[in-house]
Amino acid sequence: MALTLDAYRLLGRSGLRVSPLALGTATFGTEWGWGAERAEARKLFDHYVDLGGNLFDTADTYTDGSSERLLGEFAREERERLVLATKYSTLRRPGDPNSGGSHRKALFGSVEGSLRRLATDHIDLLYLHVWDFRTPVEEVLRGLDDLVRQGKVLYVAISNTPAWQVSRMQAIADLRGWSPLVALQLEYSLIERTAERDLIPMARELGLGVVPYSPLGGGVLSGKYGRDDVTATNDGTGDGTRRGLNLALGTLTERNLAVAGVVREVAAELGRTPAQVALAWTLRNPGVASTLIGARTPAQLEENLGALEVEFTAAQLARLDAASAIELGQPHDLLASDHIRRVTTGGLRIETRR
């Protein structure tokens, strides 16, 4: 059944209702050399809200702060009906090591700055943006809980962090009565499915709603690249273009282009664009609460929103899954083997929550 932006879903084990597609606002502002000017960004905001969308995603350092400032300006009149999500932990001041990281000083400084730029007295959803492998988890969790108790943050979440660390944090939060994590933001697409090994099953088990970013695989799944791009010179640094970045990151590969080819085939059968098919596929995962979309123009936004109307046949889903399948590795392959099933259940097939 086709979705709409106002077909709200619960975010993790919270009662917060969010749209199935979230609007990423890293495109609000042109400080990074690309993105939307204020008037164009306002069109993106208004169109998304007019259709019932309510979840916006930004970060304290996106477009050097313009993303939060513009979002705060646009959201002012309808603040209460919107869910504003931002992030902390990336470096805010070059040369100042305490302006970034997961620790308490960076957390409180970042949140105060975000509140000013967003022109609001509270942040609906705050993510730890990137795990720093240095700050004790108790310090992170207690800092987040303090902000919730102060009313400056309503819900807390995490992004780009190993599954074992997230599960440890959730257990500590539960045991100590601190604010639990309600969302997990991670890279997930038809060309990047490694989150299916541990992160997504963990999130479902522990009550975190999954919010995928880069669902188009850096644009590879939109069909904009061909095999000539794969063989382009790559020195590992990129050339300032999106293609150069994808080459440097290893996203442009023969395997990924083959997956994109199947996406194009399915899109042609459905009368849809490859981008719509790729986005719609992420929404089929029961662990996904809301998929992040980004657009620089109203036309791009309109195309992305068309993913809500995509309906696959079982055969089409099977082809997409087969083309993009990954090896789960150990212990998953062992635990799924017939031998283990025989010695643990006598060979009976028992459905799991995975």
Side-chain angles (χ1 to χ4, degrees):
M1 181 179 296
L3 295 172
T4 58
L5 282 179
D6 57 1
Y8 303 113
R9 300 174 169 186
L10 291 177
L11 185 62
R13 63 180 184 185
S14 77
L16 188 64
R17 284 80 162 172
V18 297
S19 295
L21 291 178
L23 183 59
T25 64
T27 58
F28 285 18
T30 58
E31 285 78 3
W32 287 354
W34 50 272
E37 298 279 1
R38 181 189 176 281
E40 199 80 341
R42 182 70 205 228
K43 292 177 184 178
L44 298 173
F45 175 91
D46 287 342
H47 187 55
Y48 178 76
V49 172
D50 288 346
L51 292 176
N54 74 341
L55 179 57
F56 292 87
D57 183 271
T58 184
D60 55 352
T61 55
Y62 283 174
T63 52
D64 301 334
S66 284
S67 175
E68 286 187 330
R69 281 190 292 269
L70 290 172
L71 178 58
E73 175 189 341
F74 302 158
R76 190 173 296 124
E77 295 179 1
E78 298 193 73
R79 176 66 185 92
E80 283 306 304
R81 65 159 291 199
L82 304 179
V83 178
L84 304 187
T86 191
K87 312 178 190 74
Y88 91 98
S89 72
T90 52
L91 199 69
R92 290 172 288 126
R93 293 182 299 277
D96 178 3
N98 283 321
S99 70
S102 308
H103 55 88
R104 190 179 183 92
K105 182 173 176 62
L107 168 61
F108 278 69
S110 173
V111 165
E112 291 299 333
S114 290
L115 289 171
R116 288 193 299 270
R117 288 185 292 273
L118 289 167
T120 185
D121 62 358
H122 69 277
I123 294 165
D124 297 303
L125 180 65
L126 178 67
Y127 287 95
L128 188 159
H129 200 166
V130 183
W131 186 247
D132 68 6
F133 290 98
R134 293 172 177 82
T135 307
V137 294
E138 293 83 0
E139 179 179 341
V140 175
L141 289 167
R142 180 55 192 270
L144 293 171
D145 186 67
D146 284 346
L147 288 169
V148 172
R149 292 175 188 272
Q150 292 170 14
K152 295 181 178 180
V153 172
L154 302 187
Y155 296 95
V156 296
I158 198 162
S159 174
N160 300 312
T161 301
W164 64 269
Q165 195 67 276
V166 178
S167 60
R168 178 186 175 211
M169 293 172 74
Q170 195 74 319
I172 292 173
D174 285 346
L175 289 171
R176 298 195 178 180
W178 291 341
S179 299
L181 303 168
V182 302
L184 174 67
Q185 194 171 126
L186 47 75
E187 184 175 357
Y188 184 53
S189 72
L190 275 161
I191 64 172
E192 178 47 76
R193 294 179 59 182
T194 54
E196 294 176 5
R197 289 178 177 141
D198 292 298
L199 284 162
I200 293 178
M202 174 213 66
R204 294 187 67 192
E205 185 74 19
L206 298 181
L208 287 81
V210 174
V211 182
Y213 68 82
S214 197
L216 301 183
V220 174
L221 293 171
S222 69
K224 64 191 296 184
Y225 299 108
R227 280 173 171 73
D228 289 344
D229 295 303
V230 174
T231 58
T233 301
N234 176 24
D235 61 5
T237 62
D239 58 6
T241 66
R242 189 56 191 253
R243 183 189 72 161
L245 177 61
N246 282 328
L247 283 169
L249 294 175
T251 307
L252 269 175
T253 65
E254 291 286 350
R255 180 260 182 190
N256 290 350
L257 286 180
V259 175
V262 177
V263 171
R264 285 197 302 272
E265 292 171 3
V266 172
E269 294 169 8
L270 293 171
R272 296 289 178 177
T273 68
Q276 290 170 342
V277 166
L279 285 167
W281 178 86
T282 67
L283 294 172
R284 299 281 307 184
N285 190 304
V288 169
S290 183
T291 294
L292 273 173
I293 57 174
R296 291 193 297 272
T297 67
Q300 290 175 346
L301 176 59
E302 191 65 33
E303 179 187 3
N304 286 344
L305 295 177
L308 296 169
E309 302 171 355
V310 174
E311 297 184 57
F312 297 107
T313 66
Q316 289 167 338
L317 279 174
R319 282 161 56 199
L320 291 169
D321 288 341
S324 61
I326 61 167
E327 293 184 3
L328 293 181
Q330 295 297 348
H332 309 291
D333 291 340
L334 172 66
L335 298 177
S337 68
D338 290 338
H339 170 72
I340 292 298
R341 191 157 50 241
R342 284 195 301 273
V343 299
T344 57
T345 68
L348 297 175
R349 293 189 176 274
I350 299 176
E351 185 178 352
T352 69
R353 285 175 287 183
R354 187 178 179 83

